Amino acid sequence: MPAYLVRRLVESALILVGITLVTFVLLYLVPADPARQIAGRSATAETVQNIRDQLGLNDPFALQYWRYLTALFQGDMGRSYLQRAEVSELIAARLPASLLLMVAAILTELVFGLTIGIVAALRRNKPVDHGLMIFSFVSISAPQFVIGILLLYVFAVKLGWFPIGGYGTFAHVVLPAVTLGFLGAGWYSRMMRSSVIDVLGQDFVRTAQAKGLGKVRIILRHVLPNAILPIIAMIGIDIGLFMSGIVVVESVFGWPGIGQLAWQAIQRVDIPVIMGVTMVSATAIVLGNLLADLVAPIIDPRIKMK
């Protein structure tokens, strides 16, 4: 266990360094000029050049990347070009909102996904099963921004049940959480259906039925505890999925998280902020996958760490 954990941590650190390099290369190749964004359209070429010198944008790529990497290892993500604030402070101010949305979305997808999967498995090959599986396929395939706009139009604009955007109350988190959880609900419903069907065919379930136990008791005490094992191990991976989709959802709903911060930075070519949000998102994805790998053998001893 300790050796496996050390190896995974080293691999995770190397992955994060690789992500910084790839992201830095892509931002270096972007044709937009951050200095021009800072100076404004009416600024002279001399002013823009001075800003580039001050920011070190005229230095060779290797020197710029090395300067960023050494600062990052010291916990310094740099300063925003446009907001004149530390990137770490900007992210820290936005992170609680994103974490709240992520937790709400995970709960949403679990409630809907597991319920749909269980009902579909218990009604296998019946119209209910076919209808629920069609729904899960649609939820997996639908783009998040389409779902978000549709939910906004129906439940916020037409019905007025929820606010169009913002942050601060339970009503504000419902539509963004449902939008994020919609995709996950489809995956979990299909996984849960397959897992329940597999457990229903096991010998211990048939033994419980032979003893005369009631159907509800068999499902609650024997089927669900075993069918949910692979689902729990997958929750950690969801962190990565949410971090990739949270930019779109937060932008649609005006949610003040790191996704909205990243979108604003991309529009204004604020490279330090883009790098900072990318690193936080990548770290969440790596840690989520590591957590899933560590939890899986604890939940199911048949899974071995290699």
Side-chain angles (χ1 to χ4, degrees), residues 77-232:
M77 291 184 174
R79 291 178 63 85
S80 168
Y81 289 162
L82 299 171
Q83 300 189 50
R84 310 297 185 185
E86 294 292 331
V87 173
S88 57
E89 295 177 358
L90 293 174
I91 293 177
R94 300 288 192 111
L95 195 56
S98 291
L99 292 177
L100 173 62
L101 179 56
M102 183 182 299
V103 171
I106 290 176
L107 293 176
T108 300
E109 70 176 6
L110 288 176
V111 170
F112 285 100
L114 299 187
T115 302
I116 291 173
I118 293 169
V119 173
L122 296 178
R123 297 291 186 269
R124 184 183 181 187
N125 295 329
K126 294 183 178 180
V128 173
D129 179 25
H130 297 317
L132 291 176
M133 287 302 97
I134 291 174
F135 170 79
S136 69
F137 177 77
V138 172
S139 68
I140 293 171
S141 306
Q144 287 181 326
F145 74 92
V146 174
I147 299 300
I149 293 175
L150 181 62
L151 291 177
L152 272 176
Y153 178 74
V154 174
F155 295 103
V157 177
K158 286 295 185 181
L159 299 178
W161 292 355
F162 301 99
I164 295 178
Y167 169 75
T169 67
F170 174 77
H172 288 98
V173 77
V174 173
L175 293 184
V178 172
T179 302
L180 268 177
F182 194 72
L183 172 63
W187 284 113
Y188 276 116
S189 63
R190 298 178 75 87
M191 291 174 57
M192 192 63 184
R193 177 183 180 275
S194 299
S195 185
V196 170
I197 290 174
D198 180 65
V199 173
L200 286 173
Q202 300 296 319
D203 291 337
F204 66 86
V205 174
R206 287 192 286 267
T207 301
Q209 292 172 339
K211 290 180 178 180
L213 296 180
K215 186 175 181 179
V216 175
R217 186 177 180 183
I218 292 174
I219 292 173
L220 295 179
R221 295 193 58 182
H222 298 282
V223 176
L224 292 186
N226 289 278
I228 206 171
L229 292 179
I231 305 298
I232 296 176

Side-chain angles (χ1 to χ4, degrees), residues 39-60:
R41 296 181 179 180
S42 60
T44 64
E46 182 180 358
T47 301
V48 174
Q49 185 64 31
N50 289 335
I51 294 175
R52 290 184 62 85
D53 291 336
Q54 293 174 11
L55 298 177
L57 297 177
N58 290 322
D59 295 335

Side-chain angles (χ1 to χ4, degrees), residues 68 71-72 75-79 86-88 91 272-273 276-277 279-280:
Y68 172 79
L72 185 63
D76 182 8
M77 291 184 174
R79 291 178 63 85
E86 294 292 331
V87 173
S88 57
I91 293 177
V273 175
V277 174
M279 281 306 303
V280 171

Side-chain angles (χ1 to χ4, degrees), residues 232-254:
I232 296 176
M234 292 296 295
I235 294 177
I237 300 176
D238 269 348
I239 297 175
L241 296 176
F242 284 133
M243 294 307 293
S244 63
I246 208 167
V247 174
V248 176
V249 174
E250 287 188 356
S251 299
V252 170
F253 289 95

